mmCIF file of all heavy atoms in Angstrom:
data_model
loop_
_atom_site.group_PDB
_atom_site.id
_atom_site.type_symbol
_atom_site.label_atom_id
_atom_site.label_comp_id
_atom_site.label_asym_id
_atom_site.label_seq_id
_atom_site.Cartn_x
_atom_site.Cartn_y
_atom_site.Cartn_z
ATOM 1 N N ARG V 176 111.653 92.083 97.548
ATOM 2 C CA ARG V 176 113.038 92.192 97.321
ATOM 3 C C ARG V 176 113.226 93.074 95.995
ATOM 4 O O ARG V 176 112.764 92.751 94.988
ATOM 5 C CB ARG V 176 113.723 90.849 97.151
ATOM 6 C CG ARG V 176 115.102 91.016 96.876
ATOM 7 C CD ARG V 176 115.840 89.592 96.933
ATOM 8 N NE ARG V 176 117.295 89.699 96.752
ATOM 9 C CZ ARG V 176 118.246 88.741 97.067
ATOM 10 N NH1 ARG V 176 117.775 87.717 97.703
ATOM 11 N NH2 ARG V 176 119.484 89.016 96.888
ATOM 12 N N PRO V 177 114.015 94.125 96.208
ATOM 13 C CA PRO V 177 114.302 94.924 94.997
ATOM 14 C C PRO V 177 115.191 94.221 94.031
ATOM 15 O O PRO V 177 115.976 93.289 94.540
ATOM 16 C CB PRO V 177 115.002 96.210 95.563
ATOM 17 C CG PRO V 177 114.694 96.222 96.994
ATOM 18 C CD PRO V 177 114.544 94.677 97.417
ATOM 19 N N GLN V 178 115.267 94.588 92.804
ATOM 20 C CA GLN V 178 116.291 94.051 91.838
ATOM 21 C C GLN V 178 117.656 94.600 92.118
ATOM 22 O O GLN V 178 118.581 93.880 92.004
ATOM 23 C CB GLN V 178 115.817 94.407 90.409
ATOM 24 C CG GLN V 178 115.059 93.240 89.691
ATOM 25 C CD GLN V 178 113.552 93.509 89.909
ATOM 26 O OE1 GLN V 178 113.125 94.523 90.310
ATOM 27 N NE2 GLN V 178 112.828 92.369 89.741
ATOM 28 N N GLU V 179 117.691 95.949 92.521
ATOM 29 C CA GLU V 179 119.004 96.585 92.730
ATOM 30 C C GLU V 179 118.867 97.523 93.934
ATOM 31 O O GLU V 179 117.753 97.935 94.283
ATOM 32 C CB GLU V 179 119.434 97.339 91.508
ATOM 33 C CG GLU V 179 119.640 96.601 90.280
ATOM 34 C CD GLU V 179 120.043 97.565 89.172
ATOM 35 O OE1 GLU V 179 120.669 98.593 89.431
ATOM 36 O OE2 GLU V 179 119.691 97.285 87.949
ATOM 37 N N GLY V 180 120.069 97.803 94.488
ATOM 38 C CA GLY V 180 120.011 98.921 95.470
ATOM 39 C C GLY V 180 120.415 98.496 96.898
ATOM 40 O O GLY V 180 121.009 97.366 97.009
ATOM 41 N N TYR V 181 120.190 99.335 97.839
ATOM 42 C CA TYR V 181 120.506 99.054 99.212
ATOM 43 C C TYR V 181 119.636 99.779 100.202
ATOM 44 O O TYR V 181 119.119 100.903 99.826
ATOM 45 C CB TYR V 181 122.072 99.224 99.585
ATOM 46 C CG TYR V 181 122.435 100.754 99.426
ATOM 47 C CD1 TYR V 181 122.345 101.636 100.452
ATOM 48 C CD2 TYR V 181 122.956 101.125 98.235
ATOM 49 C CE1 TYR V 181 122.753 102.939 100.322
ATOM 50 C CE2 TYR V 181 123.425 102.541 98.042
ATOM 51 C CZ TYR V 181 123.317 103.310 99.053
ATOM 52 O OH TYR V 181 123.607 104.700 98.928
ATOM 53 N N ILE V 182 119.482 99.234 101.417
ATOM 54 C CA ILE V 182 118.724 99.761 102.385
ATOM 55 C C ILE V 182 119.592 99.812 103.661
ATOM 56 O O ILE V 182 120.093 98.646 104.138
ATOM 57 C CB ILE V 182 117.360 99.124 102.671
ATOM 58 C CG1 ILE V 182 116.483 99.158 101.479
ATOM 59 C CG2 ILE V 182 116.623 99.730 103.869
ATOM 60 C CD1 ILE V 182 115.263 98.291 101.471
ATOM 61 N N LYS V 183 119.849 100.947 104.243
ATOM 62 C CA LYS V 183 120.674 101.017 105.515
ATOM 63 C C LYS V 183 119.928 101.762 106.548
ATOM 64 O O LYS V 183 119.382 102.814 106.274
ATOM 65 C CB LYS V 183 121.989 101.730 105.120
ATOM 66 C CG LYS V 183 123.031 101.731 106.313
ATOM 67 C CD LYS V 183 124.199 102.528 105.924
ATOM 68 C CE LYS V 183 125.047 101.848 104.866
ATOM 69 N NZ LYS V 183 126.323 102.540 104.583
ATOM 70 N N VAL V 184 119.905 101.164 107.785
ATOM 71 C CA VAL V 184 119.215 101.760 108.882
ATOM 72 C C VAL V 184 120.074 102.020 110.052
ATOM 73 O O VAL V 184 120.600 100.984 110.624
ATOM 74 C CB VAL V 184 117.914 100.875 109.341
ATOM 75 C CG1 VAL V 184 117.231 101.522 110.541
ATOM 76 C CG2 VAL V 184 117.052 100.710 108.134
ATOM 77 N N ASN V 185 120.390 103.209 110.320
ATOM 78 C CA ASN V 185 121.332 103.551 111.490
ATOM 79 C C ASN V 185 122.647 102.774 111.400
ATOM 80 O O ASN V 185 123.150 102.289 112.388
ATOM 81 C CB ASN V 185 120.661 103.307 112.788
ATOM 82 C CG ASN V 185 119.437 104.120 113.051
ATOM 83 O OD1 ASN V 185 119.211 105.186 112.510
ATOM 84 N ND2 ASN V 185 118.481 103.617 113.860
ATOM 85 N N GLY V 186 123.112 102.829 110.159
ATOM 86 C CA GLY V 186 124.439 102.193 109.925
ATOM 87 C C GLY V 186 124.439 100.684 109.652
ATOM 88 O O GLY V 186 125.373 100.092 109.283
ATOM 89 N N GLU V 187 123.240 99.963 109.926
ATOM 90 C CA GLU V 187 123.034 98.589 109.676
ATOM 91 C C GLU V 187 122.476 98.328 108.334
ATOM 92 O O GLU V 187 121.485 98.852 108.000
ATOM 93 C CB GLU V 187 122.163 97.947 110.797
ATOM 94 C CG GLU V 187 121.967 96.505 110.641
ATOM 95 C CD GLU V 187 120.999 95.869 111.654
ATOM 96 O OE1 GLU V 187 120.250 96.694 112.310
ATOM 97 O OE2 GLU V 187 120.903 94.700 111.818
ATOM 98 N N VAL V 188 123.158 97.507 107.545
ATOM 99 C CA VAL V 188 122.767 97.198 106.153
ATOM 100 C C VAL V 188 121.657 96.056 106.258
ATOM 101 O O VAL V 188 121.926 94.963 106.743
ATOM 102 C CB VAL V 188 123.881 96.710 105.252
ATOM 103 C CG1 VAL V 188 123.348 96.383 103.913
ATOM 104 C CG2 VAL V 188 124.913 97.867 105.219
ATOM 105 N N TRP V 189 120.478 96.498 105.741
ATOM 106 C CA TRP V 189 119.372 95.479 105.740
ATOM 107 C C TRP V 189 119.279 94.779 104.352
ATOM 108 O O TRP V 189 118.800 93.624 104.198
ATOM 109 C CB TRP V 189 118.044 96.175 105.984
ATOM 110 C CG TRP V 189 117.854 96.471 107.470
ATOM 111 C CD1 TRP V 189 118.848 96.352 108.479
ATOM 112 C CD2 TRP V 189 116.667 97.065 108.096
ATOM 113 N NE1 TRP V 189 118.284 96.830 109.597
ATOM 114 C CE2 TRP V 189 116.972 97.249 109.502
ATOM 115 C CE3 TRP V 189 115.474 97.438 107.684
ATOM 116 C CZ2 TRP V 189 116.071 97.741 110.365
ATOM 117 C CZ3 TRP V 189 114.562 97.901 108.569
ATOM 118 C CH2 TRP V 189 114.883 98.022 109.939
ATOM 119 N N PHE V 190 119.723 95.592 103.281
ATOM 120 C CA PHE V 190 119.645 94.974 101.971
ATOM 121 C C PHE V 190 120.782 95.607 101.167
ATOM 122 O O PHE V 190 120.992 96.863 101.193
ATOM 123 C CB PHE V 190 118.329 95.299 101.255
ATOM 124 C CG PHE V 190 118.211 94.858 99.805
ATOM 125 C CD1 PHE V 190 118.032 93.541 99.427
ATOM 126 C CD2 PHE V 190 118.418 95.715 98.783
ATOM 127 C CE1 PHE V 190 118.096 93.118 98.151
ATOM 128 C CE2 PHE V 190 118.373 95.412 97.457
ATOM 129 C CZ PHE V 190 118.190 94.018 97.177
ATOM 130 N N ASP V 191 121.548 94.813 100.349
ATOM 131 C CA ASP V 191 122.480 95.355 99.485
ATOM 132 C C ASP V 191 122.673 94.320 98.311
ATOM 133 O O ASP V 191 123.155 93.256 98.641
ATOM 134 C CB ASP V 191 123.882 95.534 100.198
ATOM 135 C CG ASP V 191 124.938 96.216 99.332
ATOM 136 O OD1 ASP V 191 124.910 96.008 98.157
ATOM 137 O OD2 ASP V 191 125.730 96.977 99.927
ATOM 138 N N SER V 192 122.163 94.661 97.189
ATOM 139 C CA SER V 192 122.146 93.631 96.027
ATOM 140 C C SER V 192 123.598 93.302 95.636
ATOM 141 O O SER V 192 123.815 92.199 95.215
ATOM 142 C CB SER V 192 121.401 94.317 94.868
ATOM 143 O OG SER V 192 121.963 95.506 94.401
ATOM 144 N N LYS V 193 124.552 94.219 95.632
ATOM 145 C CA LYS V 193 125.944 93.958 95.246
ATOM 146 C C LYS V 193 126.519 93.064 96.222
ATOM 147 O O LYS V 193 127.350 92.141 95.793
ATOM 148 C CB LYS V 193 126.663 95.272 95.061
ATOM 149 C CG LYS V 193 126.149 96.125 93.931
ATOM 150 C CD LYS V 193 127.032 97.409 93.796
ATOM 151 C CE LYS V 193 126.599 98.220 92.661
ATOM 152 N NZ LYS V 193 127.382 99.441 92.561
ATOM 153 N N ARG V 194 126.302 93.142 97.423
ATOM 154 C CA ARG V 194 127.042 92.261 98.483
ATOM 155 C C ARG V 194 126.149 91.032 98.902
ATOM 156 O O ARG V 194 126.570 90.209 99.672
ATOM 157 C CB ARG V 194 127.314 93.144 99.739
ATOM 158 C CG ARG V 194 128.342 94.265 99.494
ATOM 159 C CD ARG V 194 128.251 95.298 100.521
ATOM 160 N NE ARG V 194 128.584 94.724 101.861
ATOM 161 C CZ ARG V 194 128.445 95.378 103.027
ATOM 162 N NH1 ARG V 194 127.922 96.589 102.979
ATOM 163 N NH2 ARG V 194 128.785 94.849 104.142
ATOM 164 N N GLY V 195 125.029 90.947 98.222
ATOM 165 C CA GLY V 195 124.163 89.771 98.577
ATOM 166 C C GLY V 195 123.492 89.716 99.894
ATOM 167 O O GLY V 195 123.258 88.626 100.425
ATOM 168 N N ILE V 196 123.344 90.879 100.487
ATOM 169 C CA ILE V 196 122.703 91.002 101.811
ATOM 170 C C ILE V 196 121.214 91.208 101.703
ATOM 171 O O ILE V 196 120.788 92.131 100.953
ATOM 172 C CB ILE V 196 123.382 92.151 102.587
ATOM 173 C CG1 ILE V 196 124.891 91.849 102.878
ATOM 174 C CG2 ILE V 196 122.697 92.333 103.908
ATOM 175 C CD1 ILE V 196 125.648 93.000 103.461
ATOM 176 N N ASN V 197 120.462 90.427 102.369
ATOM 177 C CA ASN V 197 118.946 90.617 102.420
ATOM 178 C C ASN V 197 118.442 90.009 103.672
ATOM 179 O O ASN V 197 118.062 88.887 103.742
ATOM 180 C CB ASN V 197 118.300 89.978 101.146
ATOM 181 C CG ASN V 197 116.818 90.209 101.124
ATOM 182 O OD1 ASN V 197 116.317 91.205 101.543
ATOM 183 N ND2 ASN V 197 116.152 89.197 100.576
ATOM 184 N N LEU V 198 118.460 90.864 104.708
ATOM 185 C CA LEU V 198 117.937 90.359 106.037
ATOM 186 C C LEU V 198 116.527 89.945 105.963
ATOM 187 O O LEU V 198 115.641 90.686 105.284
ATOM 188 C CB LEU V 198 118.059 91.451 107.075
ATOM 189 C CG LEU V 198 119.499 91.858 107.612
ATOM 190 C CD1 LEU V 198 119.346 92.831 108.739
ATOM 191 C CD2 LEU V 198 120.380 90.676 107.933
ATOM 192 N N PRO V 199 116.108 88.788 106.613
ATOM 193 C CA PRO V 199 114.699 88.454 106.550
ATOM 194 C C PRO V 199 113.832 89.392 107.382
ATOM 195 O O PRO V 199 114.370 90.084 108.253
ATOM 196 C CB PRO V 199 114.708 87.078 107.189
ATOM 197 C CG PRO V 199 115.990 87.035 107.979
ATOM 198 C CD PRO V 199 116.964 87.919 107.230
#
Side-chain angles (χ1 to χ4, degrees):
R176 179 170 183 160
Q178 266 88 17
E179 299 177 31
Y181 62 87
I182 298 168
K183 185 184 291 187
V184 179
N185 298 336
E187 181 182 17
V188 177
W189 286 6
F190 175 79
D191 190 327
S192 58
K193 290 183 178 178
R194 296 163 60 190
I196 298 172
N197 185 32
L198 291 186

